[in-house]
Amino acid sequence: MSEVAPNGHKMKIVMDMATGNEFRERLSEFCDILAQMGTKEFVPSPENDGKIKSETIFRENRRYYLDLKENSRGRFLKVSMTLPSHERCQIVIPAQGMPDVRDALVDILNEHGCEDTSPNLHKSQANALHTENKTFFFDVGTNPRGNFLRISEVCGAFRSMITIPEDAWNQFTSMMDQATSEPDSPPPESESW
């Protein structure tokens, strides 16, 4: 999907057919939410920043963030794609265009198929740990250098990650076990982990 600005600048969101199928499902859910809301005004607050609903799709080495929002100009769906290089692309679909995008996506998926044939799907699905105001994602992936584990920490707009090659997994888990079973000193009670 591409969004072209009046100055000719293009933003693209790229996804495989299986991701397209999951995106279509989420888009249908968002269209249903908008239909239920009707013309009733959504009142944004500082806590929700105008967000009506948010979803995240994890696929291979990409994350797709779908935020249904409302501001003074109306309702819209902001779709963002994050790559391992931390590059982020986003497009905005106005609420009145969401059913058309969904229908076009259904046509493409019906014509070209949407079956997921990825043999490593189980390896690339993200596992998430939510704690306090942070989320940790554990993704196993493959690149030309081999398999790896990527651990990402997300706290608001802040994101950081480490990548551990497969040949270091045993040593990494041993070090984690040692660090958590025999702490040198307990953390101060005033700090939150």
Side-chain angles (χ1 to χ4, degrees):
M1 290 183 284
S2 295
E3 176 183 78
V4 182
N7 65 1
H9 180 73
K10 287 184 184 179
M11 290 299 289
K12 294 180 188 178
I13 301 289
V14 180
M15 57 184 72
D16 62 19
M17 298 300 272
T19 307
N21 191 44
E22 190 171 350
F23 177 74
R24 177 201 47 82
E25 291 172 8
R26 301 294 170 268
L27 190 55
S28 292
E29 291 172 13
F30 289 154
C31 288
D32 291 344
I33 290 169
L34 288 176
Q36 290 172 0
M37 290 178 74
T39 57
K40 184 176 104 180
E41 185 177 335
F42 174 76
V43 180
S45 68
E47 293 85 30
N48 66 21
D49 190 32
K51 279 186 189 172
I52 299 170
K53 181 167 176 67
S54 291
E55 291 283 342
T56 305
I57 299 173
F58 303 99
R59 201 60 161 199
E60 311 242 339
N61 59 350
R62 296 183 178 153
R63 287 193 174 88
Y64 301 89
Y65 301 94
L66 290 70
D67 297 312
L68 184 61
K69 298 179 98 176
E70 182 173 23
N71 63 20
S72 61
R73 292 181 283 178
R75 295 178 181 149
F76 59 94
L77 177 64
K78 182 173 80 170
V79 182
S80 303
M81 175 182 71
T82 304
L83 300 171
S85 63
H86 301 289
E87 181 183 348
R88 190 175 189 124
C89 303
Q90 70 182 27
I91 62 172
V92 176
I93 305 169
Q96 62 271 23
M98 288 170 51
D100 295 333
V101 171
R102 179 199 54 209
D103 295 344
L105 192 53
V106 166
D107 292 343
I108 291 169
L109 292 169
N110 287 339
E111 184 176 337
H112 299 286
C114 60
E115 196 171 312
D116 187 3
T117 58
S118 171
N120 294 324
L121 181 61
H122 67 282
K123 286 186 174 183
S124 62
Q125 289 294 323
N127 293 311
L129 169 66
H130 305 283
T131 177
E132 296 178 12
N133 63 342
K134 296 180 180 182
T135 303
F136 296 94
F137 297 98
F138 300 84
D139 300 299
V140 176
T142 302
N143 63 22
R145 292 175 286 195
N147 295 328
F148 60 86
L149 169 65
R150 179 171 292 125
I151 303 173
S152 306
E153 175 188 5
V154 179
C155 181
F158 175 76
R159 299 176 197 282
S160 64
M161 67 175 64
I162 62 169
T163 302
I164 305 157
E166 184 176 27
D167 60 0
W169 290 356
N170 288 334
Q171 186 179 4
F172 180 79
T173 55
S174 294
M175 292 177 83
M176 286 293 299
D177 289 342
Q178 183 181 2
T180 57
S181 65
E182 301 172 17
D184 291 339
S185 62
E189 288 187 27
S190 63
E191 289 188 35
S192 96
W193 296 88

